[in-house]
Amino acid sequence: MTERELIAAIRARLAREDRRIELGIGDDAALLAGGSIVSVDALVEGVHFDRRWLTWEDVGFKAYAAALSDLAAMGAAPVAGLSALILPRELEDAAVLAIVDGIAEAADAFDAPIAGGNVSSGGVLSITSTVIGRADRPITRSGARVGDGIYVTGPLGMAALGWRLLARGETKEPFATRWRRPRPRFDLAPQVAAIATSAIDVSDGLLADLDHVCRASGVGAAIDIDEVPVAAHQLELARSIGEDGLELALTGGEDYELAFTSADDDQATKWGARIGTIVERSSASVVDREGRAIDLARRGYEHR
Amino acid sequence: MTERELIAAIRARLAREDRRIELGIGDDAALLAGGSIVSVDALVEGVHFDRRWLTWEDVGFKAYAAALSDLAAMGAAPVAGLSALILPRELEDAAVLAIVDGIAEAADAFDAPIAGGNVSSGGVLSITSTVIGRADRPITRSGARVGDGIYVTGPLGMAALGWRLLARGETKEPFATRWRRPRPRFDLAPQVAAIATSAIDVSDGLLADLDHVCRASGVGAAIDIDEVPVAAHQLELARSIGEDGLELALTGGEDYELAFTSADDDQATKWGARIGTIVERSSASVVDREGRAIDLARRGYEHR
């Protein structure tokens, strides 16, 4: 089974029609009857991070902030969170408390207080964050319509470049901080939610995330690659280490900007840069301006 | 730092006064403004279970059922859950799907549909379950008052005996099933909540769990050890493998019966067996009928 097939099989086994669940497995977060929005995300050592490239505070901050971003992707504001730590026995107390300090820092930064949690020992360090939020108008992945514009709220590829530089032993700002200290776009989420037909946070990489939106909405996305925003010096810096800064923008992930669709171009361009248009679905869900498939072999790493 | 000190330090770093959180870290579950009750629990291979003693379906069922028990302990009914799986790459797809089938079975058995989740790879198998519930009258650990009776809703030590037998290669019912397939007492939770001053689920072991209640309530507990209910054949079977079946009842854990306190003995004895009385706090929080300390070196395994 491919990873996608396994995930689909898991969903099929767990999905239930239930009046208590308005929107279940498959979007950025679940929507419960009564308006609560809930999501869970795990950060696992050796899979999502390497302790050489982060302080312990960074690890805690990144774990909780990345989880919170799923609320921003739904147009929601945070209410509270739960933090479940699995800690190797050999991890020193000081490291554990530094991780917790990082979680607390993110909780304070994004107004998402920790209401509870769990501590367990285990062979591999992981931080699993449950986030709970509310939205006046929850935005899902499934509302994109042909003709809608496609927008992103900020530069992409910065986190991926920062991570690649860190892995080479180079700490270059603002790229390193972008990867170490994600910032969910709660500052823009309500404005985006007011005018968006669909939204997602760019966590897997722009092409992979737009593919999620296209599949959920039954549409295609035509992207003007030259319009995808990148940071100052991103392309040169990427080139200096043999990377393509634009490819990182398309596939890098972990930027946690919002990608959204809207039929209201005047309003949408206040909050994001227009990078394309929703089109009829063809064999490839994401295509370039000329309608040609973008090489999906290069799309973002699918977290598993 | 002892485990207790580390947990206290973690709590101190994360706790925030916040109008959105009515009851935060430290009880069986957190109570959010608006009435949602939320909790998270992890089952980690090699710490909480060994795959030789459980089917994969058992692993999934046990993980989700044990987490749900924290809702029953608050007198809450389930609304929904989230399941975060960390899966070793070498785990076969069939095993993953069997785990998921076990989660689905528990979700159906306890009317707690899975609304979302996360799948990640990682070196050690773990299942982290977030549970969301509601209660008309949430019962905490902190309301026990001197003079209240202490009650438990069913026999204790069965799961611990079942586990010890399994570890010796012996599958003896109903003890094995009691450990493999916990049943949160949602059937009694509303009745208990209506008359209880405090409640907890027996997950760590009766003495350890009563100690949690005593610390939260600022009281002591005087237990009549001979009144602690055990199952038929439990004492003989325990003796046959060199264990003390009554000690398992006091310290074994994982029975997921409710232990509660109440001032209404007539009502309380409808739902539980009376095993003692809440007393003034002395140096030991849990004492026997004569007021002597129960040897706490023998108290339940503290999950970490």
Side-chain angles (χ1 to χ4, degrees):
Chain A
M1 250 187 255
T2 65
E3 183 184 335
R4 189 188 291 277
E5 287 166 347
L6 182 64
I7 300 282
I10 291 172
R11 282 183 194 173
R13 280 168 158 78
L14 293 174
R16 296 288 183 278
E17 284 286 326
D18 193 290
R19 62 180 166 71
R20 294 167 293 182
I21 301 173
E22 290 190 9
L23 177 68
I25 304 170
D27 216 295
D28 293 296
L31 175 58
L32 304 183
S36 286
I37 293 173
V38 291
S39 178
V40 63
D41 195 29
L43 195 76
V44 183
E45 183 166 15
V47 176
H48 301 105
F49 73 93
D50 181 313
R51 64 174 79 177
R52 290 172 297 174
W53 309 330
L54 295 164
T55 67
W56 291 119
E57 286 86 354
D58 289 335
V59 170
F61 188 101
K62 185 173 167 74
Y64 194 40
L68 285 166
S69 181
D70 280 327
L71 295 179
M74 299 284 286
V79 171
L82 305 172
S83 189
L85 309 178
I86 297 178
L87 304 172
R89 292 194 190 278
E90 66 273 18
L91 194 69
E92 315 79 39
D93 290 344
V96 173
L97 294 179
I99 291 169
V100 170
D101 281 337
I103 295 170
E105 200 178 328
D108 293 339
F110 306 119
D111 194 28
I114 296 291
N118 190 68
V119 177
S120 176
S121 62
V124 175
L125 172 63
S126 68
I127 303 166
T128 299
S129 308
T130 300
V131 295
I132 303 156
R134 296 193 73 83
D136 293 331
R137 182 170 181 267
I139 303 298
T140 68
R141 298 177 176 179
S142 60
R145 295 294 169 259
V146 173
D148 287 352
I150 304 170
Y151 309 83
V152 293
T153 56
L156 300 181
M158 291 178 72
L161 178 57
W163 173 78
R164 279 166 178 73
L165 288 161
L166 285 167
R168 297 165 57 100
E170 296 176 50
T171 304
K172 284 263 172 49
E173 297 300 355
F175 302 96
T177 293
R178 184 86 172 185
W179 182 72
R180 287 169 164 162
R181 297 269 171 160
R183 300 199 75 77
R185 297 305 308 263
F186 291 116
D187 55 327
L188 292 182
Q191 296 91 320
V192 166
I195 51 104
T197 51
S198 75
I200 195 166
D201 61 326
V202 181
S203 54
D204 292 344
L206 179 66
L207 298 187
D209 290 313
L210 285 180
D211 182 58
H212 297 324
V213 169
C214 287
R215 286 170 185 269
S217 298
V219 298
I223 300 299
D224 190 339
I225 291 172
D226 296 331
E227 298 297 326
V228 174
V230 294
H233 311 301
Q234 181 172 323
L235 301 186
E236 311 88 275
L237 198 52
R239 201 176 304 120
S240 75
I241 58 166
E243 296 277 355
D244 176 348
L246 191 58
E247 184 177 327
L248 294 180
L250 294 173
T251 65
E254 298 196 81
D255 287 302
Y256 300 103
E257 294 292 342
L258 301 178
F260 64 98
T261 58
S262 176
D264 184 344
D265 191 66
D266 284 349
Q267 287 294 316
T269 48
K270 289 184 187 173
W271 317 120
R274 181 162 183 159
I275 60 166
T277 302
I278 293 296
V279 296
E280 297 282 351
R281 186 166 181 79
S282 61
S283 54
S285 61
V286 185
V287 296
D288 66 14
R289 199 165 39 186
E290 285 77 35
R292 293 175 306 210
I294 295 169
D295 182 0
L296 288 181
R298 304 191 313 183
R299 77 183 159 170
Y301 167 64
E302 279 193 38
H303 296 293
R304 178 181 154 176
Chain B
M1 248 186 257
T2 65
E3 182 183 337
R4 189 188 292 277
E5 289 166 346
L6 183 65
I7 299 281
I10 290 173
R11 282 183 192 171
R13 280 169 158 78
L14 293 175
R16 297 288 184 278
E17 284 285 326
D18 193 290
R19 61 179 167 70
R20 294 167 292 183
I21 301 174
E22 290 190 10
L23 177 68
I25 303 170
D27 216 296
D28 292 297
L31 175 58
L32 304 183
S36 286
I37 292 173
V38 290
S39 179
V40 64
D41 195 29
L43 196 76
V44 182
E45 182 166 16
V47 177
H48 302 105
F49 74 93
D50 180 313
R51 65 175 78 178
R52 289 171 297 174
W53 309 330
L54 295 164
T55 66
W56 290 120
E57 285 85 354
D58 288 335
V59 170
F61 188 101
K62 185 174 168 73
Y64 193 40
L68 286 166
S69 181
D70 280 327
L71 295 179
M74 299 284 285
V79 171
L82 304 172
S83 189
L85 309 177
I86 297 178
L87 304 172
R89 291 194 190 280
E90 65 273 16
L91 195 69
E92 316 77 40
D93 290 344
V96 173
L97 294 178
I99 290 168
V100 170
D101 281 337
I103 295 169
E105 201 178 327
D108 292 339
F110 306 118
D111 194 27
I114 296 290
N118 190 69
V119 177
S120 176
S121 62
V124 176
L125 173 63
S126 68
I127 303 168
T128 299
S129 307
T130 300
V131 295
I132 303 156
R134 297 193 72 83
D136 292 332
R137 183 171 180 267
I139 303 299
T140 69
R141 298 176 177 182
S142 60
R145 295 293 170 262
V146 172
D148 288 351
I150 304 170
Y151 308 84
V152 293
T153 55
L156 300 181
M158 292 179 71
L161 178 56
W163 172 79
R164 279 166 178 74
L165 288 162
L166 284 168
R168 297 164 57 99
E170 297 177 50
T171 303
K172 285 263 172 47
E173 297 301 354
F175 302 95
T177 293
R178 185 86 174 185
W179 182 72
R180 287 169 164 162
R181 298 269 171 160
R183 300 199 75 78
R185 297 306 307 263
F186 291 116
D187 55 329
L188 291 182
Q191 295 92 319
V192 166
I195 51 104
T197 53
S198 75
I200 196 166
D201 61 326
V202 181
S203 54
D204 293 346
L206 179 67
L207 298 187
D209 290 313
L210 285 180
D211 182 58
H212 297 324
V213 169
C214 287
R215 287 170 185 269
S217 298
V219 297
I223 300 299
D224 191 340
I225 290 171
D226 296 331
E227 298 298 325
V228 174
V230 294
H233 310 299
Q234 181 171 324
L235 302 186
E236 310 90 273
L237 198 52
R239 200 176 305 118
S240 75
I241 59 165
E243 296 276 354
D244 176 348
L246 191 57
E247 184 178 328
L248 294 180
L250 293 174
T251 65
E254 299 197 79
D255 287 303
Y256 300 103
E257 294 291 342
L258 301 178
F260 65 98
T261 58
S262 176
D264 185 344
D265 191 67
D266 283 350
Q267 287 295 316
T269 47
K270 288 185 186 170
W271 317 119
R274 180 159 183 162
I275 60 166
T277 303
I278 293 295
V279 296
E280 298 281 351
R281 184 167 182 80
S282 62
S283 55
S285 61
V286 185
V287 296
D288 66 14
R289 201 167 35 185
E290 285 76 35
R292 292 175 307 212
I294 295 169
D295 181 1
L296 288 181
R298 304 192 311 184
R299 77 184 158 171
Y301 167 65
E302 279 194 36
H303 295 295
R304 179 183 151 176

